[in-house]
Amino acid sequence: MRILLIHSDYLNYNVKKKTPVAEEIEEAKHDGSFDDSLVVFTAVEKEDEDNPQGIVKNLVKEVLKTNDQVKAENIVLYPYAHLSSSLSSPKVAVGILKDAEEALLAEDLNVVRVPFGWYKAFEISCKGHPLSELSRTITAETEEEKIERKPSKWQILEGNKITEIKDFKFENKAFKHLVDYELGQGASDEGEPPHVKLMREKEICDYEPASDVGNLRWYPKGKLIRDLLDDYVYDLVVDRGAMPVETPIFYDLDNQAIYEHAYKFGERQYRTDTKKKLMLRFAACFGAFRLMSDSFLTWRNLPAKIFELTHYSFRYEKKGEVVGLKRLRAFTMPDFHSFCADVPASLDEFSAQTDMCLKTGSDLNLDFEVIFRATQDFFDENEEWMYEIASKFNKPILLEVLPERHHYWVCKIDLANIDALGRPIENPTVQIDVESGKRFDIEYLGEDGNQHNPTILHCSPTGSIERVLCAMLEKTAIDLNEKSPMLPTWLSPIQARIITVGDAHEEFAEEIYEKINASNIRVDIDDRDESVGKKIRNASKEWIPYIFVIGDNEVESGKFQVTVRETGEKVDMDVDELIAEIKQKTKGMPFRRLPLPKDISKRINFQ
């Protein structure tokens, strides 16, 4: 139940017209006027039907607590459907409001219940003190039930060896940061991580002040990097049998299955201000599940694999938590869903997808720390399998065992990078979902001739694209004292730069450019009227992997001294050797063309 409590100087109402669910009322109930009232606007929700008496008990408790503070002369229960997008049946709603009215009358209070199911005009004057406007969500859960929820058990898992955290000797600083953070003992979320400065400095992206917080604007270099990461994930999952789809970003919260799934997301739902109760998706789950529920599946189709790269997903993160590329309200999420016959059938696929997530770390040069989570029942039934998964990492991982299932999943693995401030950046994940198949009415025809609900694997092989880039930039800050910061060559917006000494060398520079560019390498020319030293420094600031100067000697010999950023070495090469080295570095990775003028003198300065 959702309620809005207003301490008012007065409330006046009068009924206008019946709705199809209007309760019958006497003439005296057609209007009312009440001074000094605690007006309780109420919306009874679908889930309240499971325990109406628990809702009544907690509603009355909240009203009494508030009225003890504001000391209003009257209590007015006012049905107000607009507070929720998932309403209960009218019969249940009226019953709850009548029972609440009786319970409050028994407390010797002046209580009025405004008619249910009528269009009404009303006028209210709010008193304006600190307690005069309060909103609450009422559940049937009791304090005793909250207290009884048992905590998770946290341990360290190395292959099949389990160690208590207090007995574990930490040798990996990043892993210690992860464990401390998960147990609430680590670094706080305050402070700006280094990547925020880098994303601006390198003209990747920046905050957009004319939009909502957590919505970024991307410059050409940043869009190129993001597009290449998109292409990388696409190729990765399609090679593993995924079928790409595209689904809407808006979903109707009056759809019960969508509401139930979204409700688990709590206050981070990003809703639209329209007449229809719409929510912006927080992942591709809704679209994938709706698509599959309308499809005809048999056991021969399983595991059926659906992939969507969402541009965008939306989460209404708290304003103070939104920072840089790490936590956004609008982001790009690769969502890979695999529909399996049952939990046992999902285990092999889970293992293969864990391998895929590990590959992304290798390909992107990122180090993962790992959290493996499962319910106690799942752990007991699949202990040896969990040890096999843990062994893939060849390092200690954090194990969380939940005493009972609180979520749609029974097992999940989360891979995180650690930022320069010692805080995790959650990226790849694989999850075994045992709820959504039934909730969204997804069925497949089994070999036994009966219909069954599949078990669903959720996988994001990299995590959100923005967080991948966040992790890569943070790693450059961590490694700064050991090596020159750079992105992998295949992701570098400019892979090679030609620096001309003077106008006399431009023609030869153009020839070299044409040959490198024809080889699908992003190359440009610094043709500005600046000193060679300044041009080299500027190229270094842009983290360009290969830089070389063309002067008289280079024109004559056809060879140049190339500064290789990764090693810091200066290597003599001709154009064919340079092309061969860059092609070797980028082998197997996606390519997109340079999204900027090749001549630096013609470029816009976005900062």
Side-chain angles (χ1 to χ4, degrees), residues 186-205:
S188 75
D189 282 328
E190 296 181 2
E192 185 175 86
H195 82 269
V196 177
K197 179 183 177 183
L198 291 172
M199 75 185 197
R200 291 166 165 157
E201 197 177 83
K202 307 306 172 191
E203 288 193 345
I204 294 171
C205 60

Side-chain angles (χ1 to χ4, degrees), residues 68-103:
D68 281 344
Q69 295 172 301
V70 302
K71 304 189 185 309
E73 292 181 11
N74 302 293
I75 306 291
V76 181
L77 298 177
Y78 197 118
Y80 198 68
H82 307 290
L83 292 176
S84 175
S85 59
S86 179
L87 298 173
S88 72
S89 69
K91 181 179 178 181
V92 171
V94 172
I96 286 175
L97 293 175
K98 284 183 175 179
D99 289 348
E101 178 186 19
E102 290 181 11

Side-chain angles (χ1 to χ4, degrees), residues 82 252 254 272-278:
H82 307 290
D252 188 350
D254 282 336
T272 62
D273 187 15
T274 62
K275 290 182 179 180
K276 198 167 186 180
K277 297 162 187 172
L278 296 173

Side-chain angles (χ1 to χ4, degrees), residues 484 486 545 562-571 581 585:
S484 297
M486 65 177 293
V562 180
T563 300
V564 181
R565 185 169 183 82
E566 185 175 6
T567 62
E569 297 175 330
K570 297 183 185 298
V571 183
E581 175 155 337
K585 289 278 186 181

